[in-house]
Amino acid sequence: MTTKWLDQPELAAWIRLASVLELLPGALDSQLRRDNGLTHFEYFVLAMLSEAPDRTLRMTALAQHTSATLPRLSHVVRRLEDRGLIERFPCPTDARATNARLTDAGWDKIREAAPGHVATVREHVIDALTPEQVTQLTAITDAILTRLDPEGRMSDVYHRHDGN
């Protein structure tokens, strides 16, 4: 098998993307921890519940929306439960399933955290780009997501915000 090595422009693009993938999570996490006592993943879990009907999802659906394993999600949800931000209860339509629901305190927490999180996203990503580059970024990430998520497991998460 012959390796198809990256040429210079491909390597330059890859190194920059890899650097963004390494640096951006830390920037998002730092702001949320400092201002709201949340990790970025905890914020993401709360955000997914905040956008769900009745602020409730089955744990399996929440795992799919956050691309988390059920053990990792259960651990994080337990921490958020201990803080009164989420509650778990048996699914009324399927006794084998468990639902997670955002509590009123969780709703307040996500509403408190959202402005700072958006400001950080804007500072580190959106405001660094022209409107044309934002459109290009959407197209680029769609192409990558098609490869990473061919079944579209998370597609409702990102398509929900397309305005279509």
Side-chain angles (χ1 to χ4, degrees):
M1 181 170 156
T2 304
T3 301
K4 183 179 176 187
W5 295 104
L6 302 177
D7 64 23
Q8 195 60 41
E10 292 167 338
L11 183 59
W14 167 244
I15 293 298
R16 284 165 175 78
L17 177 59
S19 296
V20 167
L21 293 173
E22 289 299 320
L23 294 170
L24 187 57
L28 297 173
D29 234 25
S30 292
Q31 178 274 317
L32 284 164
R33 282 180 190 273
R34 180 188 67 237
D35 297 346
N36 306 104
L38 295 170
T39 67
H40 185 252
F41 185 71
E42 289 170 338
Y43 177 87
F44 192 36
V45 168
L46 295 176
M48 291 300 100
L49 289 172
S50 76
E51 296 177 358
D54 299 321
R55 300 183 191 145
T56 303
L57 286 170
R58 281 188 184 187
M59 287 290 288
T60 53
L62 185 56
Q64 185 175 2
H65 290 334
T66 59
S67 192
T69 64
L70 277 172
R72 177 184 185 209
L73 180 64
S74 291
H75 177 71
V76 169
V77 167
R78 184 178 33 74
R79 284 197 324 250
L80 293 169
E81 260 185 316
D82 291 347
R83 295 170 61 187
L85 304 176
I86 290 178
E87 59 187 359
R88 281 188 276 193
F89 59 95
C91 177
T93 60
D94 183 352
R96 299 168 297 161
T98 300
N99 287 351
R101 178 174 38 228
L102 193 65
T103 64
D104 289 342
W107 175 247
D108 291 343
K109 178 59 94 172
I110 195 73
R111 290 182 58 207
E112 169 194 310
H117 177 65
V118 170
T120 301
V121 169
R122 182 167 286 291
E123 174 189 356
H124 292 294
V125 180
I126 302 302
D127 289 348
L129 306 173
T130 66
E132 180 182 353
Q133 289 171 321
V134 170
T135 301
Q136 292 168 344
L137 181 60
T138 300
I140 291 165
T141 53
D142 277 347
I144 295 169
L145 284 166
T146 298
R147 298 283 179 102
L148 292 174
D149 187 18
E151 294 87 28
R153 291 184 327 247
M154 290 186 67
S155 65
D156 62 329
V157 173
Y158 49 86
H159 287 304
R160 182 172 42 228
H161 301 283
D162 286 349
N164 299 330

